[in-house]
Amino acid sequence: MSREVETEVVVEAKTELAEGVVGLTLRAVDGAALPDWSPGAHIDVVLGDGLVRQYSLCGDPGDSRTWRLGVLREGPGSTFVHDKVRAGDKLVTCGPRNNFALEDAPRYLFLAGGIGITPILPMVAAAEAAGAEWRLLYGGRRRSAMAFLDVLSRYGDKVEIRPQDEYGLLDLKGALAAAEPGTLVYCCGPEPMLAATEELCESLAPGALRTERFTAKPDTGPSEAFEVELASSGRTLKVEAGRSILETVEEAGVEVLSSCREGTCGTCETTVLEGEPDHRDSVLTEDERADGGFMMICVSRARGPRLVLDL
């Protein structure tokens, strides 16, 4: 199978962006231009001890020499970044990959919670450069823990900073109610915020909401066994209840690109030739789910007894 772009980078700088948030500036070890990216993209960072974590690129897509990341101290991977990674260290990255791309629109509403500001930051800059109407509602537990406030200050009253200890929970309902027709909504933050936004957006036009999750969406669906046929070999494998397609094909000796293994990164996207997927990822749009032409095999399952996959 084809491999994603791997890039060896060096940490040019490590800075404190906010309470519990550090910034990394990366450049290619050989000084070459880094792979292109667009707002909403993320990279995989290989951190040692088998840790691979996805971090959104939050710098300038026009800067081909440096990548910038914002990393919240949360979980073993990010704790490793905070405690172990130093300026001058070399790391391996994969990507970039973009499952949260900024689409053209006359107006945008950006909703960011905590470290969810990282993919939103270059989107705001792109919307401003394009002359689009936009507004950002940015919340966090407290002002001292909210990164990039200095950068966002240049946009004036287009940005509303709403720390929870000063204002309470974000007024998502009010922000969405004020959005004019034709507004695209981009939301990234903790799961309760994303779930609330999805519920509030049910009355909006299909496709008006785009979300990105840093952690897996809660899975409450059934987990019955089903069969998967691998088109390249004609082999049929049984995916047992409680086992993923990815685990099953790997155990059968089939190599599949994967990273997060929880439906948030899009690496294991696989074409579906026959059958109906039961989508449980946090990547595909509603239109892509309805099309059924591909699926994330690390978490998604089958709605029937059998799938045929392009593997």
Side-chain angles (χ1 to χ4, degrees):
M1 295 188 64
S2 62
R3 305 297 302 181
E4 284 196 318
V5 175
E6 290 190 356
T7 306
E8 189 177 14
V9 298
V10 62
V11 180
E12 187 173 72
K14 180 180 181 181
T15 58
E16 184 175 354
L17 298 177
E19 182 182 304
V21 182
V22 296
L24 297 183
T25 300
L26 310 176
R27 62 174 174 80
V29 168
D30 61 5
L34 293 163
D36 292 337
W37 63 281
S38 58
H42 67 268
I43 57 172
D44 292 355
V45 182
V46 182
L47 296 170
D49 295 330
L51 290 174
V52 180
R53 291 294 182 269
Q54 292 79 44
Y55 297 110
S56 296
L57 293 165
C58 57
D60 176 6
D63 179 358
S64 64
R65 296 294 172 179
T66 57
W67 281 340
R68 299 183 189 279
L69 311 177
V71 181
L72 173 68
R73 180 188 285 274
E74 185 177 56
S78 297
T79 297
F80 183 94
V81 171
H82 276 251
D83 294 345
K84 303 294 185 182
V85 174
R86 298 286 182 266
D89 287 354
K90 294 179 181 179
L91 301 169
V92 174
T93 66
C94 298
R97 209 163 39 244
N98 200 338
N99 307 310
F100 193 46
L102 184 68
E103 299 183 16
D104 291 336
R107 59 191 63 88
Y108 301 95
L109 172 61
F110 300 110
L111 304 172
I115 199 62
I117 190 62
T118 50
I120 299 294
L121 199 66
M123 291 185 178
V124 163
E128 180 75 1
E133 297 178 24
W134 64 272
R135 177 186 172 199
L136 167 62
L137 184 61
Y138 176 23
R141 292 180 180 176
R142 53 194 170 276
R143 194 175 294 268
S144 61
M146 298 171 69
F148 303 112
L149 296 184
D150 55 340
V151 177
L152 292 169
S153 65
R154 72 182 66 163
Y155 299 116
D157 60 7
K158 292 182 180 181
V159 177
E160 294 184 56
I161 306 298
R162 294 292 183 265
Q164 186 175 343
D165 62 348
E166 298 176 30
Y167 294 91
L169 296 176
L170 288 180
D171 182 14
L172 299 172
K173 185 175 183 179
L176 290 164
E180 297 181 32
T183 299
L184 286 187
V185 181
Y186 282 80
C187 179
C188 187
E191 180 58 34
M193 175 186 173
L194 290 164
T197 302
E198 288 172 336
E199 183 176 351
L200 289 166
C201 285
E202 288 179 354
S203 60
L204 297 183
L209 173 65
R210 308 286 192 276
T211 61
E212 175 149 275
R213 285 174 161 84
F214 293 135
T215 57
K217 190 173 184 178
D219 183 5
T220 56
S223 184
E224 289 89 353
F226 58 95
E227 291 185 343
V228 168
E229 180 181 331
L230 310 183
S232 63
S233 64
R235 294 177 65 188
T236 297
L237 306 175
K238 184 176 182 181
V239 181
E240 299 287 355
R243 302 288 288 172
S244 71
I245 300 174
L246 178 60
E247 291 170 329
T248 302
V249 299
E250 285 179 335
E251 288 171 359
V254 178
E255 182 184 2
V256 179
L257 287 176
S258 66
S259 181
C260 73
R261 308 181 81 91
E262 55 182 20
T264 61
C265 75
T267 309
C268 68
E269 179 180 295
T270 301
T271 300
V272 180
L273 302 176
E274 292 181 31
E276 183 181 2
D278 179 6
H279 296 291
R280 304 188 184 189
D281 64 275
S282 303
V283 175
L284 298 177
T285 66
E286 289 305 314
D287 286 346
E288 290 168 336
R289 289 168 183 254
D291 177 79
F294 42 92
M295 66 188 297
M296 306 304 154
I297 62 173
C298 63
V299 291
S300 297
R301 303 185 68 78
R303 289 193 180 277
R306 182 172 173 272
L307 292 172
V308 180
L309 301 180
D310 186 21
L311 289 175

